[in-house]
């Protein structure tokens, strides 16, 4: 699960903000099967780009136009097992970012399945003025979107994402036990 403190080498300081905000799209799927069979990554890429196109200049009205600065993937990486700042694709993206940039994800659960990881990242993003927007739900944090109510809602969503992961893990363990009992591997 998530360690309590990130390795400082992962959290390199970001360069100062540029003239215009740049949008970085981030997509993730949990399993190798989802990645190899293109079950979700193309959809996430399309929806995040559509979101940016639909929002137009409204994505960053306080800073002028937002320009799209790449699409970054973490295929087959569990958000439950691997904190955001330790994922290879996100680390490569972070290396390209500067203070004041924006991250666009399909939804909160593409970034986080742990409340602890979400809150640690939230603090780090706020330190650098990073704005995060979610295409589904039209919500986000940072910049003008960072209000007590959005933080409350997003923390609740992070709790739900974590609960879903724990329930899936629990059902999987129960399924394996039932299978072993059926095969006579363990006593009932």
């Amino acid at each position: 699960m998530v360690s309590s403190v990130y390795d400082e080498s992962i959290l390199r300081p970001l360069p100062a903000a540029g003239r215009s905000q740049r949008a970085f799209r981030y997509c993730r799927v949990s399993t190798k099967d989802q990645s190899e069979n293109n079950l979700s990554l193309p959809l996430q890429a399309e929806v995040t780009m559509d979101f940016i196109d639909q929002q137009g200049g409204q994505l960053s009205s306080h800073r002028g136009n937002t320009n799209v600065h790449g699409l970054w993937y973490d295929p087959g990486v569990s958000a439950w097992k691997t904190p955001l700042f330790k994922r290879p694709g996100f680390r490569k993206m972070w290396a390209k970012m500067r203070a004041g940039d924006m991250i666009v994800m399909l939804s909160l659960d593409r970034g986080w399945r742990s409340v602890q990881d979400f809150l640690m990242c939230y603090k780090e993003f706020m330190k650098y003025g990073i704005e995060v927007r979610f295409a589904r739900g039209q919500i986000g944090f940072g910049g003008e979107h960072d209000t007590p109510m959005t933080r409350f809602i997003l923390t609740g969503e992070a709790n739900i994402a974590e609960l879903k992961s724990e329930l899936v893990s629990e059902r999987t363990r129960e399924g394996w036990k039932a299978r072993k009992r059926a095969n006579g591997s363990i006593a009932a």
Side-chain angles (χ1 to χ4, degrees), residues 26-86:
Y26 176 74
C27 304
R28 181 198 62 80
V29 292
S30 301
T31 67
K32 189 174 180 180
D33 181 57
Q34 289 172 317
S35 174
E36 290 173 352
N37 294 310
N38 282 333
L39 295 178
S40 178
L41 289 174
L43 171 69
Q44 290 181 51
E46 181 181 339
V47 172
T48 55
M49 193 66 231
D50 288 349
F51 174 75
I52 292 169
D53 289 343
Q54 289 169 4
Q55 298 298 310
Q58 296 174 17
L59 265 183
S60 182
S61 57
H62 63 287
R63 286 261 221 86
N65 293 331
T66 298
N67 61 65
V68 179
H69 196 75
L71 174 62
W72 305 89
Y73 291 102
D74 269 316
V77 176
S78 166
W80 175 247
K81 295 176 183 173
T82 311
L84 186 64
F85 275 104
K86 292 189 177 183

Side-chain angles (χ1 to χ4, degrees), residues 28-171:
R28 181 198 62 80
V29 292
S30 301
T31 67
K32 189 174 180 180
D33 181 57
Q34 289 172 317
S35 174
E36 290 173 352
N37 294 310
N38 282 333
L39 295 178
S40 178
L41 289 174
L43 171 69
Q44 290 181 51
E46 181 181 339
V47 172
T48 55
M49 193 66 231
D50 288 349
F51 174 75
I52 292 169
D53 289 343
Q54 289 169 4
Q55 298 298 310
Q58 296 174 17
L59 265 183
S60 182
S61 57
H62 63 287
R63 286 261 221 86
N65 293 331
T66 298
N67 61 65
V68 179
H69 196 75
L71 174 62
W72 305 89
Y73 291 102
D74 269 316
V77 176
S78 166
W80 175 247
K81 295 176 183 173
T82 311
L84 186 64
F85 275 104
K86 292 189 177 183
R87 297 181 207 152
F90 189 86
R91 289 179 68 174
K92 289 176 186 170
M93 183 177 84
W94 186 256
K96 302 282 185 190
M97 294 180 75
R98 61 184 182 221
D101 282 338
M102 177 189 298
I103 299 168
V104 178
M105 297 181 202
L106 178 68
S107 57
L108 184 134
D109 65 357
R110 297 300 83 207
W112 299 277
R113 291 284 185 165
S114 158
V115 176
Q116 180 182 10
D117 188 35
F118 171 75
L119 293 173
M120 289 170 59
C121 290
Y122 173 85
K123 289 175 185 173
E124 195 66 23
F125 293 155
M126 294 302 95
K127 183 165 73 174
Y128 292 109
I130 299 295
E131 190 173 334
V132 178
R133 299 290 302 276
F134 304 109
R136 288 198 176 146
Q138 307 281 321
I139 194 167
F141 61 88
E144 62 196 38
H145 306 284
D146 195 45
T147 67
M149 186 55 75
T150 57
R151 283 192 304 276
F152 173 76
I153 291 168
L154 291 170
T155 303
E157 283 189 27
N159 273 296
I160 292 168
E162 183 172 314
L163 174 64
K164 285 180 180 179
S165 287
E166 289 174 346
L167 292 173
V168 167
S169 294
E170 182 179 69
R171 286 192 300 266

